[in-house]
Amino acid sequence: MGTIKECELKIMTPGPVQVRENVRMARSIKTTNPDIDTSFVEEYKETCDKIATLLHTSGQVYILSGEGILGLECACASLTEQGDRVLVIDNGIYGHGFADFVSLYGGNPVLYQKDYRRTIDVEELRVYLENDHDFKYATVVHNDTPSGMTNDVMAIGKVLHEFGILSVVDSVSAMGGEELHIDEGKLDIVCGGSQKVISAPPGLTIVAVSHRAMRAMESRKTNVASFYCNLLNFKTYYEDKWFPYTMPISDIYGLKVAVENMLAEPELVNRHKKIASAVRKALTKGGLRLYGENGYSNTVTVFYVPDKVTDQEILSYMKEKFHIMLAGSFGHLKGKVIRIGHMGENANVEDVEEVLDALYQTLLHFHVEVKEEFTKSFRDNFI
């Protein structure tokens, strides 16, 4: 029989990220049958309650078996009925992608398109809604990893709420690394993923559902056009001591420990802010150019590939010479930018300095002029 080779690379991508040992160990313990043993229902609910504390929500939290994109489709599937007008806030590749889910379930996506290099101007959005606010819900991305740009979803949620519009938020790569108080922001469905800031392996979606969103789903005139993506199937899981499908128990045990790790760190968001700010300053002082113009992410930094070299040359050399994995991008950004992930377990000084030093050495190898050594600038600016 063949053996599985352990990864020897330092994974500094915009997710998945490195996983702490206590999370790995939690996933390896002997498990029960989650379909029959009601003790698992208690473990599941306790994990959901811990996530609710992390997200500052009084609504329901569910953990679904599937990568982060599952939550986005579930939100659209569970809310959308034939002909519903849905506002798709589009200032990034992932923001635009919501339109596909809306259309898939019979809705009419209306694109609110803005510059992909800039965060959403909330007052401009308010003016738009004053002229047209006949939408069942609106979708928005908290953090767009292809471009390294964030939106103030709490401010956006409050504006949408004023006009009676429900909100669906993709916070997959932001949850835990950016400010997120769901109740305060009047947000309705917020989706996260296990493999980003949470720092567990990929495979789980987190969905936080407000009381308003639950009422909207319950008052549908037609059935949800999906079983696996129907959030209503989870509504009475605790009372019924029953799940709509077999839950990935080992993954959830690991997620519980990962969330406990996050709750044990009061300065979690601030750690991400400090790392991200210092990385941006280091790269720009060295002569590199960031992709965005504002709204810079706390969890990923995106910079233009400099002249005289390609993204694949940089990525391959970093991987082969220094055993570090960074990421390119896709869509209209393919070949144009490189992304450094500094989220969750990756957001620490030691790993980031190693990445910046390797990037500096790589650029020198390809005869790219660097004005100042990245690690020096990083240390000077890490406050």
Side-chain angles (χ1 to χ4, degrees), residues 146-207:
S147 61
M149 183 277 306
T150 58
N151 287 312
D152 186 348
V153 293
M154 290 172 60
I156 292 170
K158 291 175 185 176
V159 171
L160 294 172
H161 185 73
E162 288 177 25
F163 290 93
I165 304 169
L166 295 170
S167 53
V168 170
V169 178
D170 171 357
S171 189
V172 171
S173 61
M175 186 177 284
E178 304 280 354
E179 292 289 350
L180 185 56
H181 293 241
I182 289 179
D183 284 358
E184 181 185 336
K186 307 293 185 183
L187 301 171
D188 292 297
I189 299 184
V190 179
C191 305
S194 57
Q195 77 273 28
K196 305 288 187 175
V197 179
I198 294 171
S199 299
L204 297 177
T205 285
I206 292 160
V207 182

Side-chain angles (χ1 to χ4, degrees), residues 235-261:
K235 182 189 171 188
T236 59
Y237 83 87
Y238 188 67
E239 293 79 3
D240 298 340
K241 301 296 185 287
W242 176 88
F243 293 100
Y245 50 78
T246 301
M247 301 306 293
I249 182 170
S250 295
D251 291 340
I252 291 172
Y253 283 170
L255 178 68
K256 181 180 181 181
V257 173
V259 172
E260 289 171 347
N261 290 341

